[in-house]
Amino acid sequence: MNIDWDNLGFDYMNLPYRFLAHWQDGQWDAGALTSNNMLTINESSPILHYGQGAFEGMKAYRTKSGQIQLFRPDRNAKRMQDSADKLLMPQVPTEMFLDAVKQVVAANHDYVPPYGTGATLYIRPILIGVGENIGVAPAKEYLFTVFAMPVGPYFKGGMVPTKFIVADAFDRAAHYGTGQAKVGGNYAASLQAGKYAHEHGYGDAIYLDPLEHKYIEEVGSANFFAITKDHKQLQTPKSPSILPSITKFSILDLARDRFGLEPVQTPIAISDLDQFSEAGACGTAAVITPIQSITYGDTVHTFGDGSTGEYTAKLYNELTGIQFGDVEAPAGWIVPVEV
Ligand SMILES: *Cc1c(COP(=O)(O)O)cnc(C)c1O
C-alpha cells in the first residue's frame, strides 16, 4: 500500500473488503465481507430501469490518539430506512447497518487516513432492488452493500469561499416527490444544473423551491444555512423537498448550544438575502463551505466582504473538531470502531 495521504481527491479506490447482504423471501441473510468489488445482478433489476435504490454517505475519522470513529452513524441508518420506505424497499435494521459499517471500516482500517491530514475514510452504503422484475413494481430481492475509500479534505489549506449560481431553469425534486429521500434519481435530475453552473465558473447550482421558484432549497448536493446580520439566528430552509442533512441538524444544535444563536428552520426567499451577514453550504462531503456570493439573474449577492464569515469558521472548527475527536462531542454523536 502506497497512498499519498496529503493529495487524495474524491476518487473510487478498490479497497480489500466490502460488506454484502441479500434480502429474499421477506428477510435479510447474515451478510458477509467480500473482496469482490463487482456486483452480478439480473438485467431486469428494478434499480437499473426504475431507479429503485437509495444510498448513504458518511465518514470514518482518525483521532490524534490513532482511534477510529464515526459521526452520528445511527442517523444515516435511520435516513436509509426513511429512503427505503419512500421507495417501498425493505428497511435495513439499525443494528445491521451499524454492524456492516463497522465491519467494513475495521477490515480496511489501514486505509483510514492519518490524523492531521484532514483526509477521511468515505463510506458508501447502498440498498438496491434486484432480481427478475420487468414490470413497474417493487423488487422481490434486494442487495445491501457497504464499501469505502479514503478521500481528501474538501479544502486543502483552509476554507475557500465559493461562488454559486441559481439554476432557475432546473428543479431538483418536487415537493411530494423524492426530495427528502437520498435516491439516485435526484442526482440524475441534478446533472444538467451542475453542468450549467460549472461551465459558467461557479462551484455548483442553487435550487429554488419547485412550486414558486422563490425560496432556496439546496446548494448542489448540500444544505444551505445563513447567519442573520444581528448575529442572533442561524437559519436553514424549510421545505418538503430538501434532503434532511445530518450535518445541517448538527450545526443547528451547535449554533444553539455552543454559540448562543437561535436555530430557525424557515422558508428563505432568494430576494431576501440582505438580512444575512454570512452563508454556507453543509453536508458530509462539503463539510461546511462558505458561500462567497450567489448569482441570481443579473444580480450578484455577496455575503459580507466575500471572505469566510466569523460564525461559519467557528462552526467549521467546532464540527470538524468533534469529528476528529479534538473537541468534546454532544452525547451520542461519536461511535468508536474497534479494530
Ligand atoms: C447527502 C445529501 C446532503 C448532505 O447530507 P449529510 O447528512 O449532511 O451528509 C445534502 N443534500 C443532498 C441532496 C444530499 O444527497
Side-chain angles (χ1 to χ4, degrees):
M1 186 175 61
N2 188 10
I3 296 176
D4 182 0
W5 301 112
D6 292 318
N7 290 298
L8 287 169
F10 192 83
D11 298 300
Y12 176 75
M13 197 184 288
N14 181 7
L15 296 202
Y17 297 103
R18 69 279 299 122
F19 178 89
L20 180 63
H22 184 204
W23 188 96
Q24 200 173 17
D25 300 327
Q27 59 183 357
W28 288 106
D29 67 12
L33 293 173
T34 164
S35 55
N36 182 3
N37 72 334
M38 293 291 175
L39 294 174
T40 302
I41 60 174
N42 188 276
E43 61 195 353
S44 70
S45 293
I47 181 62
L48 298 177
H49 305 260
Y50 308 126
Q52 197 194 18
F55 67 98
E56 275 302 323
M58 50 206 293
K59 287 173 172 174
Y61 305 82
R62 176 88 64 186
T63 67
K64 200 180 255 176
S65 60
Q67 315 275 92
I68 301 172
Q69 59 186 33
L70 303 168
F71 180 73
R72 312 189 78 177
D74 53 308
R75 291 299 199 103
N76 295 96
K78 172 70 169 65
R79 189 168 62 193
M80 184 170 251
Q81 292 163 3
D82 293 342
S83 298
D85 288 349
K86 182 76 188 177
L87 269 53
L88 298 183
M89 301 190 288
Q91 293 186 353
V92 176
T94 300
E95 278 314 306
M96 177 179 167
F97 182 98
L98 296 179
D99 186 57
V101 168
K102 288 179 188 170
Q103 282 193 50
V104 170
V105 174
N108 298 295
H109 69 91
D110 286 344
Y111 294 84
V112 181
Y115 172 84
T117 58
T120 55
L121 186 75
Y122 184 79
I123 305 159
R124 173 56 61 86
I126 65 175
L127 170 64
I128 58 175
V130 299
E132 293 180 21
N133 202 333
I134 196 63
V136 181
K140 293 178 202 71
E141 289 177 54
Y142 295 85
L143 293 179
F144 170 58
T145 174
V146 180
F147 62 96
M149 73 213 76
V151 299
Y154 198 74
F155 299 111
K156 295 195 172 81
M159 302 173 85
V160 182
T162 304
K163 297 177 184 176
F164 294 92
I165 184 168
V166 174
D168 214 12
F170 306 98
D171 288 330
R172 174 187 160 269
H175 270 181
Y176 302 103
T178 52
Q180 284 192 31
K182 206 165 176 80
V183 302
N186 296 338
Y187 279 76
S190 76
L191 294 175
Q192 280 190 316
K195 177 168 181 257
Y196 171 84
H198 295 143
E199 281 177 358
H200 288 81
Y202 296 90
D204 214 328
I206 288 192
Y207 298 92
L208 300 183
D209 74 280
L211 284 189
E212 298 181 84
H213 274 210
K214 273 165 76 174
Y215 303 100
I216 293 183
E217 294 253 303
E218 299 236 25
V219 186
S221 47
N223 277 189
F224 177 83
F225 71 90
I227 308 288
T228 53
K229 278 184 172 159
D230 59 10
H231 288 181
K232 289 210 165 105
Q233 294 185 340
L234 180 144
Q235 294 189 7
T236 64
K238 188 177 174 69
S239 158
S241 43
I242 291 177
L243 197 283
S245 157
I246 297 161
T247 314
K248 188 260 301 285
F249 292 123
S250 303
I251 67 173
L252 281 165
D253 284 359
L254 294 174
R256 182 192 58 217
D257 297 339
R258 303 205 172 171
F259 300 114
L261 297 167
E262 182 191 356
V264 179
Q265 298 183 65
T266 179
I268 298 176
I270 187 69
S271 60
D272 199 15
L273 296 177
D274 274 339
Q275 59 174 319
F276 302 116
S277 54
E278 51 187 289
C282 62
T284 297
V287 193
I288 290 177
T289 300
I291 298 180
Q292 177 179 333
S293 64
I294 296 178
T295 298
Y296 178 42
D298 296 334
T299 58
V300 180
H301 182 95
T302 301
F303 292 91
D305 62 4
S307 61
T308 301
E310 175 193 342
Y311 282 92
T312 304
K314 282 187 192 170
L315 287 163
Y316 178 86
N317 290 333
E318 194 76 7
L319 177 73
T320 55
I322 289 168
Q323 291 169 331
F324 286 102
D326 296 327
V327 172
E328 197 192 336
W333 281 21
I334 292 298
V335 174
V337 177
E338 308 301 334
V339 173

